[in-house]
Every structure is written in C-alpha cells, then in structure tokens.
Amino acid sequence: QAKLKNEKALLEEEYSEALQLSKEVEAQIQKEQARLAEIARQQALNKNNATTSGNTPAVSAGTWTTPTTGRLTSPFGWRNIGYGSEFHYGIDIANKTGTPIVAAADGVVSYASALSTYGNVIMVTHSIDGQIWTTVYAHLSGFSVGVGQSVSKGQVIGSMGSTGRSTGPHLHFEMHTGTWAGARKNAVNPLRYISL
C-alpha cells in the first residue's frame, strides 16, 4: 500500500507538471499568434493606405522621379512660418492623407520609423554613378517598406500623412548628397532633379 501510495503521488506530481507546462506553451503560442496577427493587420493597413487614396505619380525617364502627386506648398529655402523665418531643407507637396509616396530612384531603405518633427519618415540611400545620395520622405501616415529592403524608382514605399510637426497632409521631401546626417547637412534643392 505504501508503494502504491508513493507511485500515486509521483504520478499526480508528473501530471501537475505536464498541465503547468501545457499552460505555459499555450500562453506562448497565443502570444506569438497575437504578435503575428498584429503584424498582418499593420501590413494590410499600410497596403490599404498606400493604394486606396490618390494616384501614384508617373515614373519619369532619367535617374530621378517625382515622389508623389499634389501641389507644391513650400519650396526649398527661406520661409516665414508665422513666428519667424527658417530655412526649409526640402520641399512640401500637399495632397490628401493616404496619397501614395514612391521611391524617387532605385535604392535601399536605410530608415523607416518615427523621427522627431519629421513624424513617420522613410530614408532611402542611393548609389548613382558612384555618388551616394539620400532621399527623405517625412510626415507619412504609413509604411510599405522596411529597413534593408531594396526599392525601385517609382515603387510605392508609404503614404502621405500629417505626422510630426505638420499643419496638414503633405510630403516633406529632402535630397542629400551623401548620407543623411541631419537636415542641414548636404541638402540640395530637389527641384533641380525632379519636376512637379
């Protein structure tokens, strides 16, 4: 009887451990499924944002193409912003939220996340005839690409929004010779390379 009692206690302990392990595994599986479902939801949302509103711009011949459709609301250079003047290191192109944003040239996504007053921003690094360039696409409402991804000229990379320091939906677009090292470094007037 004592032997059977010990065996019964041992079996009950093993059964309890198996139940505990099963609950832990089940919780891990549920957590991973929730994570994957959120990724799928974000991808679907970004895809819808990038493709349902507005038209993609026509891809122009040559190295560079216009990154979105809309009207120029603020050029490169000095501007008055209501409480003083500041130098604008890019151009602003306004349209409705969700308007597709495309890569201005072939390259690799070097940044895709929120960044200070830029809001949601994508940076693409390009190597053109041995020269490194960086293009910046700011105030986005959504991303269609991730860091390290190769993109082609005219490929949809995100959608227009009004994140960061912004007064309405628009694309803030910068071009830099070399790598991006802050807005003030290496910035050139994009209108020398693209046409609106």
Side-chain angles (χ1 to χ4, degrees):
Q1 278 186 333
K3 185 179 177 187
L4 288 174
K5 190 174 181 180
N6 285 340
E7 286 180 8
K8 180 182 176 196
L10 183 61
L11 288 172
E12 286 175 349
E13 187 177 322
E14 288 175 1
Y15 178 72
S16 178
E17 286 176 5
L19 284 178
Q20 183 64 29
L21 183 60
S22 293
K23 287 180 182 176
E24 288 175 10
V25 170
E26 183 180 342
Q28 289 174 349
I29 291 170
Q30 289 174 345
K31 184 177 177 184
E32 181 65 8
Q33 287 175 337
R35 186 184 75 80
L36 294 173
E38 178 60 19
I39 289 171
R41 187 187 73 77
Q42 286 291 333
Q43 287 175 339
L45 179 65
N46 290 341
K47 182 178 178 184
N48 288 340
N49 282 345
T51 58
T52 59
S53 300
N55 297 319
T56 56
V59 178
S60 61
T63 304
W64 302 100
T65 194
T66 303
T68 194
T69 58
R71 63 185 177 85
L72 180 69
T73 56
S74 185
F76 183 88
W78 288 100
R79 66 180 181 173
N80 188 328
I81 55 171
Y83 53 83
S85 61
E86 70 174 7
F87 196 88
H88 192 223
Y89 291 92
I91 61 172
D92 291 345
I93 304 169
N95 208 330
K96 61 186 175 184
T97 299
T99 300
I101 306 299
V102 302
D106 296 347
V108 177
V109 177
S110 50
Y111 189 89
S113 189
L115 181 65
S116 185
T117 59
Y118 282 108
N120 295 327
V121 64
I122 293 172
M123 296 183 192
V124 179
T125 301
H126 315 269
S127 179
I128 298 169
D129 298 327
Q131 168 71 49
I132 298 297
W133 294 78
T134 304
T135 50
V136 178
Y137 312 79
H139 307 306
L140 305 178
S141 63
F143 304 107
S144 301
V145 294
V147 172
Q149 184 175 338
S150 293
V151 293
S152 302
K153 180 174 81 169
Q155 177 182 338
V156 174
I157 59 173
S159 50
M160 188 176 291
S162 187
T163 59
R165 192 182 92 184
S166 172
T167 57
H170 71 284
L171 171 68
H172 171 78
F173 178 67
E174 295 177 9
M175 292 180 71
H176 297 263
T177 55
T179 58
W180 186 86
R184 294 172 175 80
K185 308 245 183 183
N186 312 330
V188 295
N189 186 348
L191 295 178
R192 289 172 32 198
Y193 303 92
I194 65 166
S195 59
L196 296 179

